[in-house]
Amino acid sequence: MKKFDKERVLLAVAGPVIALAVAFVLSAIVLIASGKNPVEPFSIMFEQASFSDVQVRIINQASMYYIAALAVAIGFRMNLFNIGVDGQYQLAAMMAAIVGAHANLPAVLQIPLLLLTAILTGAFWSGIAGVLKVTRGVSEVVATIMLNAIAVSVIAYLWLPNVFGVKVGNNNTTGEMHESGWVPGIDMGAAGEIYGLVVLAALLGIGYWVVLNRTRFGFDLRASGASESAAAASGVDPKRMVLTAMLISGGLAGLAGLPILLGDSHTYNLNFPTGIGFLGIGIALLGRNNPTGIAFAALLWAWLDKASPELDFHDYDKEIAVIMQGLIVLSVVVSYEAVREWGLRRQQRQVGAELAAGNVLGAADNNVKKEVAGR
């Protein structure tokens, strides 16, 4: 491996490692300050990860986190902050649940229909923010935050009994979906079942890498994110790329809730997971927008979620996992900036050393020429 490649790998790994180390240390300090053992909670959670049923729950949860983080990462690569992933995936899941409850096609048609419904709903909702940005200059952060709030109201309206809502006790639901739309999982025996759409999450990660690193579109997207003026000079329409990136980000976000919808709940109700979109932001940051890094970050987040309930049985508050997640996000921002500054200073020193070496060689060459000319 070339020296330059080794340095790039080092810089890419240093940020997450430092962030995790700092987060664990700060979490330990919080535990000490509250009069608790700073090591035992982590030992308990690590032990939980050795149980097969917990492993299945971690993988299932990580699949949703992974898709949400990919949606955020697409925006980041375009220098866009799609903070509306949460509203996009919730609304998309509800629309897919409604279609699944009212349409009853063969599975070979029903499942693609539900996937397409979720993609189009998420893309439509994020596309609103994209259109506002390219036509009126509205910040995508402000637009997507407001669209999150509007999505909650739209969901509440669709839950009305005279619209698409079906009351089950005190729970609002969209009614159970037809079985042709259920995606069979991977049976792990007594440990449970891994969602079938975990495979889709993995394929999306591969597709994300291929599109961004091996296609002209991916190059244009990254170039536009790095410098709109430079991209425009090379013939790329920055506004078109902004809108396209928002549509793709929203389309991916729309799929984030489908692993559990099609693999377990089979309806959209009050118990449907929320907040996945916001967690996706931290996961994308920790994974440095790299599909492999995001996968590890999603598994870490899912482990904190699924292993922490055991802490309640050992006189520890499970909220320590939430504290850790917050500390990881803060540590990521600080450590990445520190690593970036370190890398920049290192590059500057290398360039200075090369220039100095070039001047020395140039001076020696001039002396040789003078000696030859004197002879």
Side-chain angles (χ1 to χ4, degrees):
M1 185 183 290
K2 296 180 180 178
K3 182 180 179 181
F4 178 72
D5 292 333
K6 289 182 179 179
E7 290 182 355
R8 287 185 62 185
V9 172
L10 177 62
L11 291 174
V13 173
V17 170
I18 293 173
L20 291 175
V22 171
F24 273 98
V25 170
L26 292 177
S27 299
I29 292 173
V30 170
L31 287 166
I32 293 172
S34 60
K36 301 288 187 178
N37 187 315
V39 177
E40 188 178 17
F42 302 117
S43 175
I44 293 170
M45 289 195 291
F46 278 118
E47 182 184 6
Q48 287 297 299
S50 65
F51 300 131
S52 57
D53 59 331
V54 177
Q55 292 170 0
V56 167
R57 292 199 295 272
I58 289 173
I59 293 172
N60 287 340
Q61 190 75 7
S63 66
M64 296 187 290
Y65 288 165
Y66 187 65
I67 298 174
L70 287 179
V72 175
I74 283 285
F76 281 161
R77 297 305 293 266
M78 185 59 197
N79 204 22
L80 296 170
F81 195 178
N82 180 10
I83 205 170
V85 168
D86 209 63
Q88 292 154 20
Y89 96 82
Q90 289 188 58
L91 190 59
M94 183 172 212
M95 293 304 299
I98 291 172
V99 172
H102 291 81
N104 189 13
L105 302 173
V108 70
L109 297 176
Q110 182 84 343
I111 294 174
L113 173 64
L114 299 181
L115 294 175
L116 185 61
T117 299
I119 292 171
L120 293 179
T121 302
F124 170 76
W125 209 244
S126 65
I128 297 173
V131 170
L132 289 174
K133 183 173 181 66
V134 300
T135 59
R136 311 303 300 176
V138 178
S139 168
E140 74 280 1
V141 175
V142 175
T144 51
I145 288 175
M146 297 306 298
L147 285 167
N148 278 342
I150 295 172
V152 172
S153 298
V154 172
I155 288 171
Y157 169 75
L158 295 174
W159 258 334
L160 293 175
N162 60 340
V163 185
F164 293 109
V166 177
K167 273 284 187 180
V168 178
N170 293 325
N171 200 352
N172 293 327
T173 80
T174 53
E176 188 171 70
M177 300 165 57
H178 292 287
E179 289 192 27
S180 59
W182 299 8
V183 175
I186 303 170
D187 187 10
M188 303 300 293
E193 197 173 74
I194 295 176
Y195 298 152
L197 289 188
V198 166
V199 177
L200 174 63
L203 292 176
L204 288 174
I206 295 171
Y208 169 90
W209 185 87
V210 170
V211 169
L212 282 183
N213 297 284
R214 292 292 184 268
T215 67
R216 172 59 187 270
F217 170 78
F219 174 80
D220 290 345
L221 188 144
R222 288 183 286 111
S224 299
S227 173
E228 287 191 6
S229 57
S234 65
V236 179
D237 184 352
K239 290 186 175 181
R240 180 176 62 83
M241 293 305 299
V242 167
L243 181 57
T244 303
M246 286 299 294
L247 290 172
I248 295 175
S249 178
L252 279 174
L255 294 172
L258 292 200
I260 189 172
L261 177 67
L262 305 187
D264 184 23
S265 68
H266 306 132
T267 186
Y268 188 89
N269 55 34
L270 291 173
N271 300 322
F272 200 81
T274 60
I276 291 176
F278 296 115
L279 293 177
I281 297 171
I283 293 169
L285 285 171
L286 182 60
R288 294 187 67 96
N289 302 323
N290 179 281
T292 303
I294 291 173
F296 284 111
L299 288 169
L300 170 65
W301 239 261
W303 166 66
L304 290 172
D305 279 347
K306 299 304 179 183
S308 59
E310 181 67 19
L311 296 176
D312 281 339
F313 301 100
H314 298 269
D315 197 28
Y316 289 98
D317 296 323
K318 65 179 180 181
E319 283 72 22
I320 186 63
V322 179
I323 293 174
M324 277 202 65
Q325 290 173 345
L327 290 174
I328 287 172
V329 173
L330 292 175
S331 303
V332 161
V333 175
V334 175
S335 65
Y336 282 5
E337 182 62 22
V339 170
R340 188 187 69 83
E341 289 292 335
W342 176 79
L344 183 60
R345 288 196 298 270
R346 183 177 175 82
Q347 289 177 358
Q348 290 172 342
R349 287 195 298 268
Q350 287 178 343
V351 170
E354 289 173 1
L355 290 174
N359 290 334
V360 170
L361 291 174
D365 186 51
N366 288 334
N367 290 334
V368 171
K369 289 180 179 178
K370 289 179 181 179
E371 291 180 6
V372 172
R375 292 175 184 175

